[in-house]
Amino acid sequence: MAVLNIENVSKTFGDTRVLEDINIAMAEGEFLILVGPSGCGKSTLLNMIAGLETITEGQITLDGRSVNTASPRERNIAMVFQFYALYPNMNVRRNIEFGLKMRGVAKQERGATVERVAKMLQIEDLLNRKPAQLSGGQRQRVAIGRALARDPALFLFDEPLSNLDAKLRVEMRTEIKQLHQRLATAMVYVTHDQIEAMTLGDRIAVMHAGRVQQLGTPREIYDDPANRYVAGFIGSPAMNFIECELIGEAGDTAVCLTGATDEARLALPSATTERLAAHGARRVVMGVRPEHLVPAAHGSAEAIACRIDVVEPTGPDTYLHTEINAEPVTARCLPSAAPAAGDTVALAVDVERAVFFDCDSEARIA
Ligand SMILES: Nc1ncnc2c1ncn2[C@@H]1O[C@H](COP(=O)(O)OP(=O)(O)O)[C@@H](O)[C@H]1O
Ligand SMILES: [Mg+2]
């Protein structure tokens, strides 16, 4: 049975529709990410799961029971927010045990829970400090500790790391993943950061404009994006989108690509050409990730000659900025093989990995 089931859920504030027909069934122990740009409705959905926001349409069930009208207290859910929301006048120990105390848990049991949670999060030395005496990362650990103390059926996280500096964010990301592996409790985690989504999630729901654009594993979302929005949102540097003309018949289709000089024709795999033929359009948008646009092997027939505008070393990879069909694109190469800005380089497209979108609807067509 799904721990959490969101069925046909919509949300309206006044006359503004902010969520439209959301359907997500979450498995036991799953780590589910809601990712999307600011304002797409992530927090609203999370708050509806928590019971902090009403449901306009549809149903949310937890362990098979509808919670549409249940108060937050009745839901056995713990939530961690971006702003830690600690009680400033209480020390760490009292912050962690506060919820238990309110529910009448005996002192001895509270003490044992605080010890267990503090050990798990390695904050044993901080129990007597007040929040003001803690760093941002420590505060966030205490906020997580407070959620852990409740031993809930489901954890909700709303951008818990976005107030931390970059290095700490990466460290805490690993800690949260380890925590999930140890607890095996279902978690819903909201972020606008696609790297956090890719690295943490068992499955990711990519949200945009109040809808789930795609729900899948990180690999499915990355390799097999449902539409141009998802393809462009996930991945860094972003996927290249090149509008191009299709030539030839079904089973023998090529795309025309122009770099710095003459036009190159790239033959497409037969499965791709069949799907493109079924769609019927002659102009399409080809999506190619930077790692699938690379300097061609010497003498390669299907390479595109491109003039490199900017060379960007990142350490493990070097990115090359250039143009194909008059659109800016990013290619990737090994640092040892990096050209200089101004050089003309033959680039090859891995057509097996290229994806195709409708120019107008932006739907995936091949
Ligand atoms: N209480 C509210 N009243 C009216 N509009 C709201 C309210 N809460 C959120 N919104 C609007 O709903 C949309 C989604 O907000 P939110 O869920 O906070 O997005 P996200 O968390 O993805 O950034 C935004 O346009 C926001 O302005
Ligand atoms: Mg939010």
Side-chain angles (χ1 to χ4, degrees):
M1 188 191 293
V3 177
L4 168 69
N5 206 353
I6 304 171
E7 295 166 271
N8 310 113
V9 163
S10 299
K11 177 71 183 178
T12 306
F13 285 115
D15 47 16
T16 314
R17 195 79 156 167
V18 297
L19 289 171
E20 186 70 50
D21 198 25
I22 307 291
N23 287 280
I24 300 172
M26 205 180 156
E28 199 88 40
E30 188 172 22
F31 202 146
L32 175 78
I33 310 284
L34 306 178
V35 68
S38 179
C40 75
K42 305 180 295 294
S43 295
T44 302
L45 184 55
L46 208 68
N47 290 339
M48 287 160 89
I49 299 169
L52 302 171
E53 195 67 79
T54 59
I55 299 165
T56 311
E57 277 166 41
Q59 176 165 270
I60 294 181
T61 61
L62 281 169
D63 284 327
R65 285 183 309 123
S66 171
V67 292
N68 277 37
T69 56
S71 72
R73 279 170 165 275
E74 293 166 312
R75 296 188 187 207
N76 199 17
I77 285 176
M79 190 150 169
V80 179
F81 299 91
Q82 172 179 1
F83 302 101
Y84 327 108
L86 300 177
Y87 300 105
N89 55 338
M90 293 185 194
N91 66 19
V92 168
R93 175 183 296 279
R94 290 185 58 213
N95 262 287
I96 293 175
E97 70 175 1
F98 185 73
L100 302 175
K101 203 169 170 180
M102 294 309 283
R103 276 181 291 134
V105 175
K107 188 170 179 192
Q108 199 177 353
E109 191 185 334
R110 292 201 313 261
T113 301
V114 171
E115 299 306 325
R116 172 177 62 82
V117 164
K119 191 159 179 239
M120 195 178 273
L121 296 167
Q122 295 168 345
I123 50 173
E124 295 119 305
D125 300 342
L126 308 177
L127 290 174
N128 295 320
R129 291 203 202 166
K130 296 268 178 72
Q133 298 167 300
L134 303 174
S135 69
Q138 290 169 334
R139 276 180 219 168
Q140 194 51 287
R141 272 200 194 96
V142 175
I144 293 170
R146 210 164 47 173
L148 286 179
R150 297 193 47 188
D151 196 19
L154 178 65
F155 286 98
L156 305 180
F157 291 90
D158 194 351
E159 313 231 14
L161 307 184
S162 45
N163 278 341
L164 307 179
D165 66 51
K167 186 163 179 288
L168 192 56
R169 203 156 63 217
V170 173
E171 285 170 18
M172 286 293 285
R173 192 169 81 199
T174 310
E175 279 187 33
I176 288 179
K177 189 158 183 163
Q178 279 172 342
L179 193 65
H180 175 256
Q181 286 169 357
R182 247 180 298 159
L183 297 173
T185 305
M187 295 182 175
V188 184
Y189 186 104
V190 163
T191 179
H192 64 271
D193 178 343
Q194 55 93 18
I195 301 203
E196 236 168 78
M198 286 292 286
T199 51
L200 282 175
D202 293 323
R203 281 193 308 158
I204 302 173
V206 182
M207 297 176 62
H208 173 54
R211 289 179 183 271
V212 173
Q213 303 288 323
Q214 187 171 4
L215 175 63
T217 65
R219 269 256 80 82
E220 284 164 357
I221 302 257
Y222 191 78
D223 289 342
D224 215 7
N227 55 43
R228 180 171 168 167
Y229 183 81
V230 173
F233 187 78
I234 300 285
S236 177
M239 182 183 272
N240 298 301
F241 296 110
I242 307 163
E243 197 173 323
C244 52
E245 200 76 42
L246 296 176
I247 43 179
E249 310 296 311
D252 182 23
T253 310
V255 284
C256 283
L257 299 177
T258 308
T261 50
D262 43 342
E263 184 178 273
R265 287 182 173 212
L266 255 62
L268 298 178
S270 60
T272 309
T273 69
E274 273 159 35
R275 279 185 226 119
L276 289 172
H279 182 71
R282 301 309 286 172
R283 275 198 89 70
V284 296
V285 172
M286 180 167 77
V288 182
R289 296 211 179 270
E291 64 267 33
H292 303 135
L293 180 65
V294 298
H298 197 66
S300 166
E302 295 198 323
I304 311 143
C306 293
R307 208 184 111 87
I308 306 302
D309 299 321
V310 176
V311 177
E312 219 172 54
T314 68
D317 302 303
T318 294
Y319 293 102
L320 310 176
H321 296 268
T322 180
E323 281 190 355
I324 293 179
N325 288 6
E327 303 196 54
V329 295
T330 307
R332 189 174 86 173
C333 74
L334 291 172
S336 58
D343 286 358
T344 297
V345 174
L347 296 178
V349 174
D350 182 349
V351 289
E352 297 284 346
R353 306 297 300 273
V355 291
F356 293 84
F357 304 97
D358 185 279
C359 290
D360 302 317
S361 75
E362 305 198 336
R364 174 85 180 274
I365 54 178

